Amino acid sequence: MAILEAKNVTKKFGTLRAVQNLSVSVNAGEIFGILGPNGSGKSTLIRCLTGQIKPEEGSISVLNIDVLQDPVGVRELVGIVPEQENPPSFLTAEEYLFFVAQIRKMKNSEKEIDSWFRFLEFGDQRNILCKDLSRGTRQKLMVAQAFMHKPALAFIDEPLINLDPVIQKKIKEYLVNYAKKGNSIFISTHILEIAGEICDRIGILNKGKIVYQGKPKKDLERFFLSSVKHV
Amino acid sequence: MIKEEWRMHSALFGNKRFAFYPLLILGLAFCTSLSIIAFQPSFSLLSILLFVHVLFFFFGASIGSFGTLGREFMNRRFGQASLLAYSSRNLPLSDRTIFSVFVVKDICYYFAFWIIPCILGFSLAMPIIGIPLTFAPVYLLTLSLSFLIGMSLVFFLSMIYARFGKWAATALFVLLLIAVVFNQKSVSGYPPWDFSITGNLNDIWISLGSILLFSVLALIFVSFDFPTKKEAYENSLKRTSKRFSFAKSYALFWAKDYIDIRRSDGGVGKVLFSFLIPLLFIWFLLPFLTVQLRVNFLVIFGIFLGVLSSSIYTQLTRYDLFNQYLFLPIKTSTVLKSKVLGYAVLNLLSAAILVIAALVNSQTAFLLPAFVQFVLMSFFALSVTILYTGLSPSLMLMDVQTLLKYIFTIIPVILILVFIYALGPVIFTLGSVGIVLVSIILLKRAFVKWDFAPHQTF
């Protein structure tokens, strides 16, 4: 059963067509990877799918909610790790998660926050102001805020790029187990190994258009390069 | 660096429209200079010109401090983007070379965009004020020198801050201030201003010498290693939210605003000063104006207090970027509503100032109409600010188009408030109801507008 269905989505920025007539669907319990070179439209697509920006054309349904009609309603149900990790400067990491938990109306959020800090090995970084955290730590914080409320569908934009190998491994395992419980993940990345390792299906995006949608191929690198015509 | 400065400003303040900024400055400088006429019966022209020179000194100082200490602002707006000035570590260039280029860049840039248009605006008004136009080149020189003294002094103090910490810089600044305050002779002989009166060439050499001395010292001992520390705090958001529980669903946002302001550089003091210093100017200058115009001081003070109070909204939104909320289930209007309520509470401070003004000036009989004027103006100015700028007044009011729209919406209402008060209580009451209704409509439109507006992301 598709819990995300986007049909013929087009998003323009001035004369640039960042996403062109794109259709994509994600099923329950599935990890769907969207791959593409820099500037291919991956982040724009995620921002359209989560109602952060409005496409000019097309329809998007997430968890049976029309994203164009009720973007806030969609964001109540999903989790999002944005491309730019930029939490409010003057809150500490712990205060930021508390802030997000309150906006999401989570009960007993403190236990959940503690468990995320332990899982992502924050140590005493939890009490440091977000502006003073390293990029990697801020990235971990954004992962925690996206999954804290156990969303049925999570959108994650380049989630592992600034993280050390230990945390990368932990998060990859977490994502796989999370999907096994029936939840879905829409992951954008240009790291092909991640897609090959954890994704059930992938879409390859080039210049705003999906050029392939299906199971990850065995020789993903060669397939990817031929798809985006870099060979 | 010039390109970087242009791109930074144009990205922040209305893209290519920023190119019209010098014209706006020229126009504003011209209009402000004309207001000198109203003060001429109360102050000598020489005192007014000293005031203008001191203003240019402080303007230079503010540019210097933003240039070297503005990283907090930059990081808030652009994430981890950094100015070229901070890139000496990853380029084969010394701090000294980068800093020298940085200073020259700042001088060229601000002269082109601010100083020259400002002086031209003042020069255009000179014949009307009663100063011969032949003095224009003299003021171009002396006001430029005043700007440069302020700027070089702050560059020097920034170097002291970077080398010896903020207490050393503050102590030095206080010492300089004491030296000036306790030596009135040196104030009255502020060299650039003194030259504009006496034509004594020594004043030029002293001014140039000061600029050179501050700049050279700053350059010799320059360092970009500003003392930084990773600040750690216990979770006070929860405790603070509880303290604001009377604000119901907005308590969390109030708590965040409170923490943001308290922990940012300058903290609560910055908020108060940005509001109180212009207010002190108004308090000091308005009596002279109201005597000339034969209107009641307190009622007009109430109107200006309302306009200035809207700057509190700017301070409340200084630490919010909506792209930090975009991926959360929250509407822009929810954040805006929390700001409006916070603003209403903070306006109690302004109301207290109005009461003090009434008591000090023995005008308690006018307190009620003045209070009504203040509330009307404050509410209207807030609605207009939110409608035009949403969560980013500190940025969007620097956009020429938005600023002009703001000015041309606010000024007629100031005039209307003055006139309806003069026309008697019935008209005043009817007019007040009208302004409240218009403000409510504008505020509602603002909420709808910003809920559906694409948000600026950098």
Side-chain angles (χ1 to χ4, degrees):
Chain A
M1 189 189 76
I3 61 165
L4 181 156
E5 190 125 38
K7 284 182 188 162
N8 310 318
V9 174
T10 296
K11 176 68 199 170
K12 297 176 207 163
F13 294 109
T15 53
L16 174 77
R17 292 165 80 91
V19 172
Q20 296 184 56
N21 200 27
L22 186 150
S23 297
V24 67
S25 67
V26 177
N27 298 319
E30 185 177 54
I31 301 182
F32 183 89
I34 194 89
L35 312 181
N38 291 332
S40 57
K42 303 187 295 294
S43 298
T44 302
L45 176 61
I46 286 192
R47 288 168 67 200
C48 287
L49 296 178
T50 52
Q52 296 179 57
I53 50 173
K54 212 170 185 174
E56 277 75 25
E57 290 164 30
S59 64
I60 305 166
S61 162
V62 170
L63 298 161
N64 291 322
I65 298 176
D66 185 335
V67 175
L68 306 184
Q69 294 297 318
D70 187 8
V72 175
V74 168
R75 293 201 292 269
E76 273 174 20
L77 302 178
V78 304
I80 305 165
V81 180
E83 182 192 22
Q84 283 181 321
E85 69 301 322
N86 205 7
S89 300
F90 294 103
L91 295 185
T92 65
E94 184 176 339
E95 286 169 342
Y96 178 57
L97 290 190
F98 177 78
F99 182 73
V100 174
Q102 293 301 301
I103 287 178
R104 292 197 173 281
K105 300 184 177 69
M106 285 172 64
K107 286 179 181 151
N108 302 320
S109 58
E110 272 141 274
K111 259 189 179 174
E112 191 63 30
I113 291 171
D114 277 340
S115 73
W116 273 100
F117 279 138
R118 272 197 307 278
F119 175 61
L120 294 175
E121 303 175 18
F122 263 71
D124 55 8
Q125 297 286 303
R126 63 190 286 168
N127 291 326
I128 300 289
L129 293 187
C130 291
K131 75 180 176 70
D132 294 330
L133 295 173
S134 67
R135 289 193 76 175
T137 311
R138 285 208 298 267
Q139 181 81 36
K140 290 195 289 187
L141 192 62
M142 300 318 281
V143 170
Q145 65 79 26
F147 284 94
M148 249 183 354
H149 60 296
K150 309 271 188 293
L153 171 62
F155 293 86
I156 47 183
D157 199 348
E158 301 289 3
L160 307 174
I161 211 152
N162 298 308
L163 304 177
D164 67 61
V166 177
I167 298 293
Q168 278 196 20
K169 186 168 179 285
K170 270 187 161 186
I171 291 180
K172 274 191 276 187
E173 285 169 2
Y174 178 84
L175 295 178
V176 171
N177 289 329
Y178 195 72
K180 276 182 186 162
K181 290 175 190 161
N183 303 302
S184 309
I185 292 162
F186 188 101
I187 181 170
S188 147
T189 183
H190 54 225
I191 305 176
L192 300 178
E193 293 79 20
I194 296 172
E197 239 175 282
I198 66 170
C199 292
D200 301 305
R201 277 194 313 131
I202 59 163
I204 295 179
L205 198 59
N206 192 29
K207 293 176 184 165
K209 286 180 181 165
I210 288 263
V211 290
Y212 171 78
Q213 202 168 167
K215 297 260 178 210
K217 300 280 182 185
K218 273 190 179 164
D219 190 355
L220 190 55
E221 191 178 336
R222 179 181 289 186
F223 180 71
F224 175 80
L225 290 173
S226 66
S227 300
V228 298
K229 296 186 174 57
H230 277 188
V231 284
Chain B
M1 276 189 185
I2 290 268
K3 239 179 190 176
E4 179 189 60
E5 193 81 22
W6 159 255
R7 282 179 182 162
M8 182 177 76
H9 279 102
S10 58
L12 289 170
F13 310 133
N15 300 317
K16 285 177 184 162
R17 278 201 300 275
F18 187 64
F20 292 102
Y21 208 74
L23 279 178
L24 179 77
I25 296 292
L26 190 147
L28 286 177
F30 175 73
C31 296
T32 313
S33 304
L34 287 184
S35 72
I36 289 175
I37 297 166
F39 295 104
Q40 274 176 332
S42 313
F43 297 98
S44 69
L45 193 58
L46 294 183
S47 312
I48 293 171
L49 288 171
L50 174 62
F51 179 73
V52 174
H53 278 83
V54 171
L55 276 184
F56 270 74
F57 169 87
F58 280 112
F59 180 57
S62 67
I63 297 304
S65 62
F66 182 81
T68 48
L69 304 172
R71 191 159 19 179
E72 177 199 306
F73 174 85
M74 290 297 296
N75 284 350
R76 270 204 326 266
R77 289 289 163 202
F78 295 103
Q80 286 304 298
S82 221
L83 293 172
L84 274 174
Y86 301 118
S87 62
S88 52
R89 280 184 199 87
N90 40 29
L91 291 177
L93 289 167
S94 68
D95 279 355
R96 194 163 296 142
T97 311
I98 286 224
F99 186 71
S100 318
V101 179
F102 179 83
V103 173
V104 174
K105 176 272 298 175
D106 255 14
I107 292 171
C108 296
Y109 191 83
Y110 284 97
F111 262 78
F113 272 79
W114 287 84
I115 301 300
I116 292 176
C118 211
I119 297 172
L120 280 178
F122 178 63
S123 304
L124 286 177
M126 276 166 54
I128 307 169
I129 304 166
I131 306 172
L133 200 57
T134 45
F135 273 81
V138 176
Y139 290 120
L140 180 66
L141 173 70
T142 58
L143 292 173
S144 302
L145 286 173
S146 198
F147 171 81
L148 289 173
I149 292 173
M151 194 167 139
S152 57
L153 174 66
V154 168
F155 278 142
F156 171 68
L157 289 174
S158 306
M159 178 274 290
I160 298 287
Y161 172 30
R163 289 262 160 198
F164 307 106
K166 67 177 167 191
W167 292 115
T170 311
L172 192 62
F173 177 70
V174 171
L175 276 176
L176 282 171
L177 208 63
I178 290 170
V180 171
V181 169
F182 283 93
N183 189 357
Q184 286 296 321
K185 212 178 164 187
S186 72
V187 178
S188 58
Y190 180 53
W193 171 74
D194 203 44
F195 176 78
S196 71
I197 304 160
T198 62
N200 184 351
L201 268 177
N202 280 344
D203 290 318
I204 296 294
W205 299 126
I206 294 170
S207 303
L208 286 173
S210 311
I211 296 163
L212 214 63
L213 178 73
F214 290 137
S215 306
V216 167
L217 283 175
L219 203 60
I220 291 172
F221 299 106
V222 67
S223 165
F224 283 111
D225 290 321
F226 286 94
T228 52
K229 58 177 186 214
K230 280 191 173 183
E231 294 172 85
Y233 296 90
E234 290 299 310
N235 183 353
S236 62
L237 187 65
K238 190 180 175 184
R239 201 176 55 241
T240 315
S241 300
K242 271 188 187 159
R243 204 187 294 167
F244 292 133
S245 57
F246 61 90
K248 305 266 164 101
S249 58
Y250 301 118
L252 182 72
F253 299 103
W254 282 23
K256 180 186 169 294
D257 287 345
Y258 175 75
I259 289 172
D260 279 342
I261 290 170
R262 223 187 45 193
R263 289 179 185 168
S264 66
D265 288 348
V268 182
K270 193 163 62 180
V271 178
L272 288 177
F273 274 101
S274 66
F275 168 56
L276 290 179
I277 287 183
L279 191 68
L280 278 175
F281 272 115
I282 298 278
W283 187 314
F284 177 66
L285 296 175
L286 200 57
F288 302 104
L289 192 68
T290 48
V291 165
Q292 297 301 318
L293 300 176
R294 294 180 188 175
V295 284
N296 177 263
F297 162 75
L298 197 69
V299 173
I300 303 296
F301 182 72
I303 297 173
F304 279 102
L305 183 65
V307 177
L308 281 182
S309 293
S310 63
S311 73
I312 293 175
Y313 175 73
T314 308
Q315 296 299 331
L316 285 178
T317 51
R318 199 168 279 274
Y319 307 98
D320 277 300
L321 287 180
F322 201 80
N323 58 5
Q324 290 169 344
Y325 296 104
L326 268 178
F327 46 91
L328 296 174
I330 191 165
K331 285 181 175 179
T332 315
S333 58
T334 308
V335 183
L336 288 173
K337 282 171 191 167
S338 84
K339 307 283 181 196
V340 171
L341 279 180
Y343 174 81
V345 173
L346 287 172
N347 260 226
L348 292 175
L349 172 75
S350 308
I353 290 170
L354 189 65
V355 173
I356 294 168
L359 291 172
V360 169
N361 293 284
S362 309
Q363 292 196 345
T364 43
F366 295 96
L367 187 56
L368 184 65
F371 181 75
V372 173
Q373 298 277 45
F374 154 67
V375 172
L376 291 173
M377 195 64 236
S378 175
F379 185 33
F380 182 78
L382 174 75
S383 305
V384 171
T385 308
I386 296 181
L387 180 67
Y388 291 156
T389 69
L391 272 175
S392 312
S394 57
L395 291 181
M396 292 183 72
L397 279 180
M398 298 291 277
D399 175 359
V400 176
Q401 193 183 359
T402 312
L403 182 62
L404 285 174
K405 265 165 63 183
Y406 177 83
I407 290 171
F408 288 118
T409 316
I410 293 289
I411 286 178
V413 174
I414 294 177
L415 296 174
I416 288 170
L417 281 171
V418 174
F419 282 120
I420 59 170
Y421 175 70
L423 292 174
V426 176
I427 302 287
F428 182 53
T429 310
L430 287 174
S432 303
V433 172
I435 289 173
V436 168
L437 287 176
V438 171
S439 304
I440 291 172
I441 292 167
L442 292 180
L443 199 57
K444 283 192 168 172
R445 276 181 60 183
F447 291 153
V448 175
K449 174 185 171 182
W450 292 108
D451 270 343
F452 293 99
H455 292 280
Q456 194 176 14
T457 50
F458 292 103

